[in-house]
Amino acid sequence: MTKSPASAGPVAPEVLADLAAASHILAAQGVVDAMGHISLRHPDAQDRFLMSRAMPPALVTPADLVEFDMNGDACGGDTRSGFLERFIHSEVYTARADVMSVVHSHSPSVIPFGLCDKPMQAMFHNAAFVAAGVPVFDIRTKFGTTDMLICDCVRGGALAETLGDKNVALLRAHGSIAVGDTLQAAVFRAVYTEVNARIQHWALALASGGPLAALSPEEGLLADEPNQGAAARAWQLWRSNVRAKTNW
Ligand SMILES: [Zn+2]
């Protein structure tokens, strides 16, 4: 049995409360259901991250959060089971020093764009981050026929490579990931990736042919600036809704 890595140290209670609240927010917004997860890089250690033990996101409390190292091993002797797909998080943090938070979900409106040749495009300003492009990770390319899960460092590393410098990536016949340089940015992007996908389905159903008048990459860059303020306002609303039903 391998020895549990040492903890990087305690995390402020308000940070843990915000991370637990983010799980509730994603559930309330229809991004996660019984499955799906969000993590936060440890505020004091680049090589550690925090996420809940394996459990439904809407039931997470701050006491359910576990510290992991970048091998996906629980730290400080914590023996609670982590999610099978925690390697998504460890490998994105390893590949992307700028990323502080990662969301993985199976939100349904997004999945079709990983199954067909229609790329996801930015349908409106709040999804400006989509305009940079949304790569699709096809697990078959490197791993052949699998159970579809990102259940080890090698598969996680391949997914992180497909994500590259983007904010969102799709996993063929599985789901998606969204990342941010703050917890709030990752939550905002996960929510608006799902909303954007719904709008694109509506637009495609209405369209009589020809390309959609989606945001260009340049418009996306410009529109992503004011989105920082929009994300803060959205967080204020969503976080207060969680606080109203919990004591954290
Ligand atoms: Zn998954």
Side-chain angles (χ1 to χ4, degrees):
M1 210 171 117
T2 49
K3 201 165 164 287
S4 177
S7 167
V11 176
E14 56 271 24
V15 173
L16 297 176
D18 278 352
L19 178 54
S23 282
H24 289 245
I25 290 166
L26 291 169
Q29 297 297 318
V31 175
V32 296
D33 47 21
M35 281 78 65
H37 23 86
I38 180 166
S39 67
L40 178 71
R41 197 191 288 270
H42 193 298
D44 303 319
Q46 192 74 0
D47 60 349
R48 297 282 194 278
F49 66 99
L50 308 154
M51 71 187 293
S52 81
R53 63 189 176 88
M55 64 185 294
L59 303 180
V60 171
T61 73
D64 295 308
L65 298 171
V66 178
E67 180 185 334
F68 293 94
D69 74 358
M70 294 306 168
N71 294 318
D73 293 327
C75 300
D78 200 324
T79 55
R80 293 175 291 178
S81 307
F83 287 102
L84 268 180
E85 293 197 294
R86 61 191 181 278
F87 304 97
I88 293 172
H89 304 256
S90 58
E91 291 301 321
V92 169
Y93 290 127
T94 299
R96 290 275 300 271
D98 61 309
V99 169
M100 288 302 288
S101 182
V102 178
V103 177
H104 170 52
S105 84
H106 309 149
S107 74
S109 312
V110 175
I111 291 175
F113 295 99
L115 299 174
C116 66
D117 60 1
K118 287 255 188 301
M120 186 180 278
Q121 295 176 279
M123 294 291 103
F124 73 136
H125 62 302
N126 283 338
F129 57 91
V130 168
V134 179
V136 178
F137 174 73
D138 186 344
I139 198 165
R140 291 177 300 190
T141 308
K142 275 201 171 155
F143 304 101
T145 302
T146 66
D147 59 7
M148 310 301 287
L149 299 176
I150 309 297
C151 55
D152 61 31
C153 292
V154 182
R155 292 183 187 183
L159 171 60
E161 198 180 314
T162 299
L163 174 69
D165 62 354
K166 301 295 192 290
N167 301 309
V168 182
L170 307 187
L171 289 74
R172 179 197 131 253
H174 180 161
S176 57
I177 60 172
V179 305
D181 59 0
T182 62
L183 180 73
Q184 291 81 356
V187 168
F188 183 84
R189 284 177 179 154
V191 169
Y192 280 96
T193 298
E194 167 62 21
V195 173
N196 187 74
R198 269 179 253 155
I199 295 174
Q200 189 163 348
H201 292 305
W202 298 331
L204 288 169
L206 277 178
S208 51
L212 299 176
L215 270 74
S216 69
E218 294 75 21
E219 286 175 322
L221 274 179
L222 291 172
D224 209 31
E225 277 286 318
N227 267 342
Q228 313 307 320
R233 200 181 324 149
W235 177 262
Q236 187 187 7
L237 170 67
W238 296 334
R239 183 68 181 90
S240 72
N241 289 344
V242 178
R243 207 172 269 123
K245 59 179 184 143
T246 64
N247 59 0
W248 40 268

